[in-house]
Amino acid sequence: MLNPIKLANKNFLSSLDTSSEEFLHILEIAKNFKNKKLNIEFKDKVLGLIFDKSSTRTRVSFQVAMSRLSGTTVDLNPTTSQIGRGEPIKDTARVLSRYCDVLAIRTFKHSDLEEYARWSSKPVINALTDLEHPCQALADYMTIKEEFVDFKDVILTFIGDGNNVANSLILYGALLGVEVRIACPKGYEPNDLVINRAKEIYKNKNLLKITNDPFTAVRGANVLYTDVWSSMGEENLKEEKDKDFFGFTIDQNLVRNADKDAIILHCLPAYRAKEITDEAIESKKSRIFEQAENRMHAQQSLLSCLLS
Ligand code: CP
Ligand code: NVA
């Protein structure tokens, strides 16, 4: 029977914190948890959740994943803890890691997450920063693998903002050798460091394509993916971004130009009629709710590896 392996890196801050072998192992373990072929207990282990931003899926999927492992969670937010008062991260991290066995943190600046990891004696998981959302990408590629069995020849097109979700998809795409196309308005391209790092990993395979034309990007694509145009913390940019992203909605017109067996993904929460139509979310091609379910299985697997 396959059992969780200890990962080489202590933390999971980025898609690049696992090797491709470790990544595939996490997905395999996740599949076994999902199919109820694996039952592992981490009794008395505690996951600390620190959420500086709102969350439904990430918070609940972590809580349920930990309870399925027979462990428990403590959920902290800035208003009910001393974090909102401005207690230094290096103090919070040192204290919490004496109580908890692993920490999952959702915050704004990626450098704050790295600061937690620097001072925590226990593994730290990125539950979303402005730069990356690697737990989301784990579930996304798990969903893609369920559909297409392996990643060979899969073309993943992300239409929308070159944001945290896009960055993590690109990095795993590079690790797995998946062709990733990003279609975004000018000025909304993914982070330069992420693009350069991905290109290094892809070596000279030209598999990362960034364009401003969604129709070119979806041609022959197997996976159409989008996320909100304005992320958490960008509420003041909503009006401007809604205008800039006009024409970047995943709708039936765009879907028709993709591969005939293409699937549609969205990390949720969605703004229907903005980045995606209600029809696309509810269509037969949508795997959006399977993808949301997979957050729980993928994170149960990740936790079991980090706690091993
Ligand atoms: N996709 C995702 O991370 O959702 P939440 O913001 O609800 O956690
Ligand atoms: N890009 C979005 C993802 C939400 C899950 C945000 O950061 O708000």
Side-chain angles (χ1 to χ4, degrees):
M1 193 181 62
L2 191 67
N3 274 308
I5 49 160
K6 192 171 174 56
L7 305 176
N9 277 329
K10 176 182 138 232
N11 302 308
F12 185 70
L13 308 185
S14 161
S15 296
L16 295 185
D17 278 344
T18 59
S19 64
S20 54
E21 292 75 22
E22 287 175 328
F23 171 85
L24 292 171
H25 175 82
I26 293 171
L27 293 198
E28 201 53 35
I29 294 286
K31 187 170 104 182
N32 287 344
F33 278 133
K34 185 171 184 175
N35 297 337
K36 308 221 175 324
K37 289 197 179 137
L38 195 59
N39 186 14
I40 304 169
E41 298 208 339
F42 288 97
K43 228 172 163 356
D44 302 329
K45 295 286 180 191
V46 180
L47 165 67
L49 298 168
I50 303 174
F51 281 76
D52 290 342
K53 296 179 180 181
S54 304
S55 170
T56 298
R57 278 144 290 270
T58 309
R59 172 182 277 119
V60 179
S61 55
F62 264 121
Q63 287 171 333
V64 178
M66 199 58 192
S67 113
R68 287 182 173 211
L69 292 170
S70 305
T72 53
T73 48
V74 282
D75 189 0
L76 292 154
N77 68 54
T79 46
T80 54
S81 67
Q82 304 288 13
I83 295 168
R85 167 192 173 278
E87 182 169 11
I89 289 174
K90 61 181 178 183
D91 294 353
T92 307
R94 275 179 291 181
V95 173
L96 290 181
S97 59
R98 283 168 186 244
Y99 305 147
C100 302
D101 301 284
V102 51
L103 299 172
I105 299 167
R106 170 169 287 198
T107 193
F108 291 85
K109 289 188 341 220
H110 195 77
S111 56
D112 283 350
L113 177 78
E114 289 171 335
E115 174 84 350
Y116 272 108
R118 194 168 306 126
W119 290 95
S120 167
S121 57
K122 304 286 169 47
V124 172
I125 299 173
N126 181 351
L128 181 149
T129 63
D130 289 349
L131 184 65
E132 271 205 62
H133 196 3
C135 290
Q136 179 68 52
L138 269 185
D140 300 341
Y141 281 101
M142 176 175 175
T143 313
I144 293 169
K145 195 163 186 287
E146 283 176 343
E147 192 71 30
F148 300 105
V149 185
D150 67 33
F151 298 112
K152 203 173 150 289
D153 302 328
V154 168
I155 300 174
L156 162 60
T157 295
F158 179 94
I159 298 154
D161 192 24
N163 61 11
N164 43 10
V165 169
N167 289 337
S168 290
L169 286 171
I170 290 173
L171 292 173
Y172 268 140
L175 213 59
L176 298 166
V178 171
E179 177 169 338
V180 178
R181 302 177 186 166
I182 307 288
C184 59
K186 275 200 173 61
Y188 293 103
E189 288 79 11
N191 180 287
D192 277 340
L193 292 175
V194 167
I195 295 178
N196 292 336
R197 188 71 192 99
K199 284 185 173 161
E200 277 168 26
I201 300 168
Y202 276 122
K203 301 216 171 72
N204 32 21
K205 289 180 243 146
N206 186 23
L207 291 178
L208 176 61
K209 292 171 184 154
I210 303 190
T211 168
N212 306 122
D213 176 8
F215 280 94
T216 314
V218 298
R219 206 164 296 140
N222 308 101
V223 182
L224 303 188
Y225 194 129
T226 189
D227 179 20
V228 291
W229 294 336
S230 301
S231 284
M232 289 179 275
E234 294 186 331
E235 290 73 15
N236 58 330
L237 301 176
K238 223 171 203 156
E239 220 173 297
E240 184 188 333
K241 289 186 96 173
D242 282 357
K243 279 193 208 128
D244 292 347
F245 281 81
F246 180 79
F248 285 81
T249 303
I250 293 194
D251 57 13
Q252 291 309 95
N253 199 18
L254 208 53
V255 172
R256 263 194 296 276
N257 281 275
D259 184 83
K260 67 174 185 20
D261 297 319
I263 60 166
I264 299 169
L265 299 181
H266 190 309
C267 57
L268 298 177
Y271 284 110
R272 283 168 156 83
K274 291 272 176 76
E275 74 275 4
I276 189 163
T277 59
D278 184 66
E279 201 183 3
I281 294 186
E282 304 298 341
S283 77
K284 284 207 174 82
K285 290 179 173 296
S286 168
R287 298 291 179 277
I288 293 171
F289 295 97
E290 286 77 6
Q291 176 188 12
E293 179 187 332
N294 284 340
R295 294 292 307 276
M296 178 176 64
H297 306 301
Q299 286 156 207
Q300 187 178 351
S301 170
L302 175 69
L303 286 168
S304 69
C305 292
L306 291 175
L307 290 168
S308 285

